[in-house]
Amino acid sequence: MPITLSQFLRRYGKDLFRATEAKLPPLVQEPRLTWSRGRRPMGAQALAITGVAEALRRHGVGILAAEMGTGKTFMGVRAALELDPQGAFLVLCPPHLVEKWAREVEMEGAHAVVLRERQDLEALRQAPRPLFAVLSRERAKLGPGWEPAVAYRTVLKREEGRRVPVKVAVCPRCGHPVEKLPKTRRTTCPKCREPLWQVRPPRREALAHALKRLLPKGFFQAVILDEAHEYKGADSAQGLTAAGLISWVGKVILLTGTLFGGYASSIYHLLARAAPRFREEFPTEAAFVARYGLFKRVRRERSEGGYGYYTRRRETRTQTYERPGVSPLLLTHLVDKTAFVRLPEVAEALPPYGEEVVLLDMDEAHRVAYEAFAKGLSGAAKRSLSKGRRFLGVLIQAGLQVPDTTWQEEAVADPETGKTVAHFAPLPPDYRHAKERKLISLLAAERLKGRRSIVYVQGTERRDQLARLASILEAEGFRPIVLRADTVRPEEREAWLKAQVEKGGDVLLCHPRVVQTGLDLVDFPTIVFYQPEYSVYTLRQAARRSWRIGQRHPVRVVYMAYRGTLQEAALTLIAQKARSSLALEGELVEGGLVSAAEEDPTVALAKALAGAVRLTWEGEGVGLEGEATGKASAGRAKAPALPVLPEGRWVRTRRGRVFLPPGQPVLFAEVL
């Protein structure tokens, strides 16, 4: 009889560990710390610091993949000091974490300089050692920019029967008319190919460029990239800036709580920029994904003409998509450079952590109104998928958010034809739909226990859910705290939130990206994802804001969605991606490192919207007032919890018939 991965590891785990240790002996087995000042490491911190420092010495790159709340900043500082107790180090971090980095460095007995202007760079030569130069990634990358480079010529044009002088843009080299001013730096004259753009006269210099110009190579012993996963973009300005600094300095420490985003391609550019040998072995992303990623190939066949022996014409087209998941062999590129740290390994007395999925049914009037709207979206999604994925993002956002905006009329139009493809007729403004009622009852129950809550929403602009939920909660006697991206400067958010709590605020309403990094929200032990967030990076970061050192209450994370809608499909998709992400960091869940899912979040949800694929939760979990839910075991960080089957049985999946033993979480995409 087949056994699950968990059962296999319980039975053979010790033998596998001994064999792996013999094949891949650890770089360090005991902490070896020489820096005596500052705070004392806790739990696994000391071993992680030693390991990252040793990886830096051997490979020039050390990766700290540490769960949120484990003290990545502290460990990053100490690893650098273990590399060179009298060295100088460059820190590249998000803007709201600059002051935090400076404080952490000073607490360890080192000297910190925050780089804001060019004058700060010039003072680095005389600064005492050990030295940490802390640079915001925004100030690092922002330079003079560019502007159109065209000449102007006065010509006479006939207007209302007379000739009037008019200025027109022309190529500065050949004088050919320029119909539209350039919008990108690739624009050239159609006649002579002269570039039609130029660097704007510099008012300020990008500090990353200024560093390389003013300081000698070798001044810094290592560069530290905080929230390193945010530099993964192939062509993003901050990714290219980080790559330039790594190349200039030579050694790099990568700090991240979410090393892997679910797709093999999400980690390629980060490793290629940090490790020269890796870049030599895999010069292109395609070569890397072909070796370690997962692909889905779709073969379409179309026949034209009659069915005669000579007249039938057959055309075959194959498309390849990347799917979530990664080969276990990728670990061979990480195991000698990476320290993986889980929160329970640092703080043994942490309270339990649990996750729930709450699926709700719409009221009848709500369901009828939404189904009419969803029918229009479905038809548009089918046409869009067949014609090159036109405006899929608009369709998906409407499908995800409109179930929650019952008070607001919604019309989705084809951007090319202007024709309305889906229309939602609003319900009365005072109507509270099922999710709003459930949220109120959940928050009220938590408040009776003395627990504050965070509610994450996606709609904060045109479909503004923050204002709606704030008014509803105020009517129920809550004191909501509304935090928008522009409410307060990022570096001041933590102090602002503390002041709001002291004033009696009990429910924080915000987008998850506003608080996903750098904030300790231990005052809010209950977290509710009111709408799905299908970025693994954002979800994992935001879900752990409360489960940190200093938390005294059990942490409860709730994911809410309407059953049978695109929201449910989005939860299914993010759970699959989160499994793959956690597995690479050592959290092996059922399904291992290879997770079955669609090729791209946007396309996967569009197909679910079109009805081509149904992403489903099978079986029943522990019910809350009759609602289907799934619960994760307490005490360990998991992907969104999945329902389990009370009895083992065979089910039909996209991979064929699969036997699911009793108690195994169930999650698969079933092709209709």
Side-chain angles (χ1 to χ4, degrees):
M1 179 178 176
I3 63 173
T4 67
L5 178 62
S6 298
Q7 293 170 333
F8 178 82
L9 290 176
R10 280 196 296 269
R11 185 177 301 178
Y12 303 109
K14 292 182 179 180
D15 294 332
L16 287 172
F17 179 80
R18 284 193 291 267
T20 303
E21 192 173 33
K23 185 77 174 177
L24 300 169
L27 290 181
V28 295
Q29 294 183 330
E30 296 293 336
R32 299 191 302 269
L33 302 181
T34 58
W35 185 261
S36 58
R37 286 179 270 174
R39 293 163 292 178
R40 183 178 180 181
M42 298 187 301
Q45 286 180 336
L47 189 59
I49 291 167
T50 305
V52 171
E54 185 64 24
L56 273 174
R57 296 187 187 99
R58 296 195 183 197
H59 308 296
V61 54
I63 304 174
L64 180 61
E67 201 167 25
M68 284 62 73
T70 53
K72 288 188 294 295
T73 306
F74 165 73
M75 288 187 280
V77 171
R78 291 295 294 269
L81 293 172
E82 290 298 321
L83 176 69
D84 187 346
Q86 293 299 315
F89 308 96
L90 176 63
V91 178
L92 198 62
C93 66
H96 63 283
L97 298 182
V98 167
E99 298 300 332
K100 177 184 177 182
W101 264 96
R103 290 196 307 269
E104 294 266 354
V105 167
E106 299 286 354
M107 290 174 69
E108 296 312 305
H111 184 69
V113 174
V114 176
L115 304 180
R116 295 187 177 91
E117 305 293 342
R118 175 179 166 178
Q119 291 77 3
D120 299 323
L121 275 60
E122 296 172 345
L124 289 177
R125 295 176 183 271
Q126 288 75 40
R129 303 292 184 98
L131 168 66
F132 288 78
V134 185
L135 176 60
S136 158
R137 67 183 180 212
E138 303 303 321
R139 293 185 181 272
K141 70 181 181 181
L142 295 181
W146 66 276
E147 62 185 7
V150 296
Y152 288 92
R153 177 179 296 171
T154 301
V155 299
L156 295 177
K157 287 191 175 182
R158 185 174 296 277
E159 293 183 4
E160 299 180 354
R162 61 192 183 92
R163 299 168 71 86
V164 296
V166 177
K167 275 189 175 183
V168 296
V170 297
C171 171
R173 180 180 181 184
C174 69
H176 185 79
V178 177
E179 295 182 1
K180 294 181 179 180
L181 291 180
K183 294 183 178 180
T184 72
R185 288 185 292 179
R186 297 180 181 178
T187 306
T188 58
C189 173
K191 185 177 180 180
C192 69
R193 314 310 298 174
E194 174 77 4
L196 297 180
W197 63 274
Q198 65 185 2
V199 175
R200 184 182 297 122
R203 297 179 181 176
R204 65 176 178 183
E205 183 181 17
L207 291 187
H209 180 270
L211 277 169
K212 291 185 282 186
R213 184 173 59 83
L214 296 174
L215 298 176
K217 190 170 185 178
F219 182 86
F220 293 111
Q221 278 63 58
V223 58
I224 303 173
L225 295 189
D226 193 16
E227 305 298 343
H229 58 276
E230 297 185 359
Y231 303 93
K232 65 181 177 60
D235 300 312
S236 68
Q238 61 192 30
L240 295 174
T241 299
L245 290 174
I246 294 171
S247 177
W248 177 58
V249 175
K251 289 185 171 64
V252 61
I253 300 176
L254 304 180
L255 308 180
T256 180
T258 47
L259 178 62
F260 180 53
Y263 294 91
S265 58
S266 69
I267 198 174
Y268 168 76
H269 291 285
L270 195 60
L271 293 179
R273 287 162 178 163
R277 292 183 183 177
F278 178 88
R279 189 165 58 248
E280 292 171 4
E281 184 175 354
F282 299 101
T284 66
E285 178 183 303
F288 172 74
V289 175
R291 174 78 65 87
Y292 297 113
L294 292 180
F295 284 104
K296 174 185 176 182
R297 289 184 173 86
V298 179
R299 183 173 180 270
R300 292 183 174 90
E301 187 176 284
R302 184 179 66 178
S303 298
E304 295 181 356
Y307 284 85
Y309 187 81
Y310 295 102
T311 58
R312 186 173 181 179
R313 176 187 171 194
R314 180 175 298 170
E315 179 182 322
T316 301
R317 185 176 64 175
T318 301
Q319 291 179 298
T320 303
Y321 306 100
E322 187 183 1
R323 294 168 51 190
V326 69
S327 166
L329 294 175
L330 176 60
L331 287 172
T332 60
H333 292 280
L334 299 174
V335 71
D336 59 343
K337 307 176 185 69
T338 309
F340 295 98
V341 182
R342 315 308 293 177
L343 191 55
E345 297 171 339
V346 173
E348 297 180 356
L350 274 176
Y353 173 98
E355 297 185 338
E356 306 166 22
V357 174
V358 176
L359 300 179
L360 298 157
D361 291 315
M362 293 179 176
D363 300 329
E364 182 63 17
H366 187 187
R367 182 185 62 79
V368 170
Y370 180 72
E371 285 183 352
F373 177 72
K375 185 176 181 181
L377 291 181
S378 178
K382 290 177 182 177
R383 294 189 295 272
S384 185
L385 285 167
S386 65
K387 295 182 180 180
R389 307 181 187 179
R390 298 179 304 118
F391 75 108
L392 283 184
V394 174
L395 298 174
I396 290 168
Q397 286 303 314
L400 287 171
Q401 294 196 37
V402 169
D404 303 323
T405 57
T406 57
W407 71 92
Q408 184 173 308
E409 183 177 17
E410 183 84 22
V412 179
D414 188 313
E416 293 183 1
T417 65
K419 181 181 178 182
T420 298
V421 297
H423 178 264
F424 180 82
L427 300 174
D430 58 351
Y431 165 69
R432 294 183 182 178
H433 55 83
K435 192 188 282 190
E436 290 175 337
R437 300 195 304 268
K438 178 60 185 175
L439 179 67
I440 292 169
S441 66
L442 188 155
L443 297 180
E446 296 299 284
R447 184 173 60 176
L448 286 174
K449 300 174 185 175
R451 295 167 60 91
R452 299 182 185 89
S453 304
I454 303 173
V455 179
Y456 291 134
V457 301
Q458 295 293 316
T460 59
E461 296 180 0
R462 184 169 67 86
R463 304 181 183 96
D464 190 3
Q465 307 248 6
L466 293 178
R468 165 80 175 186
L469 291 178
S471 64
I472 290 176
L473 293 175
E474 285 174 352
E476 295 294 328
F478 291 91
R479 294 184 178 180
I481 305 168
V482 178
L483 176 60
R484 300 180 186 271
D486 58 355
T487 299
V488 63
R489 294 172 58 190
E491 57 268 29
E492 298 172 359
R493 282 175 186 158
E494 192 164 355
W496 182 84
L497 284 171
K498 184 177 181 180
Q500 299 304 310
V501 169
E502 291 174 351
K503 293 177 183 178
D506 50 14
V507 179
L508 172 61
L509 301 171
C510 64
H511 193 289
R513 294 186 183 182
V514 176
V515 297
Q516 68 172 328
T517 59
L519 291 179
D520 296 332
L521 302 178
V522 294
D523 291 322
F524 302 87
T526 299
I527 295 176
V528 179
F529 282 84
Y530 187 71
Q531 295 170 310
E533 165 59 59
Y534 56 89
S535 164
V536 168
Y537 297 110
T538 301
L539 182 138
R540 289 187 57 195
Q541 293 273 355
R544 307 299 171 81
R545 289 302 98 198
S546 301
W547 198 49
R548 312 173 76 80
I549 296 172
Q551 180 59 265
R552 300 186 304 276
H553 306 286
V555 172
R556 180 188 185 190
V557 181
V558 180
Y559 301 88
M560 300 182 73
Y562 274 118
R563 185 183 284 108
T565 69
L566 202 62
Q567 293 182 350
E568 183 181 4
L571 280 184
T572 307
L573 177 66
I574 191 61
Q576 293 169 323
K577 292 172 64 179
R579 277 184 176 181
S580 181
S581 175
L582 284 165
L584 188 65
E585 298 169 18
E587 286 287 333
L588 291 178
V589 294
E590 298 299 337
L593 292 175
V594 180
S595 169
E598 285 291 336
E599 66 280 354
D600 175 85
T602 301
V603 176
L605 294 178
K607 289 182 177 180
L609 186 62
V613 173
R614 184 173 72 237
L615 299 170
T616 60
W617 302 83
E618 288 290 322
E620 297 179 356
V622 181
L624 288 178
E625 300 176 7
E627 297 151 3
T629 69
K631 292 193 174 183
S633 58
R636 293 287 293 187
K638 298 287 184 182
L642 307 178
V644 298
L645 294 176
E647 298 178 358
R649 63 181 169 122
W650 289 90
V651 295
R652 183 169 64 87
T653 75
R654 293 174 55 200
R655 295 171 290 169
R657 294 180 72 246
V658 176
F659 181 80
L660 297 170
Q664 173 165 331
V666 184
L667 182 61
F668 61 87
E670 182 179 359
V671 180
L672 300 181

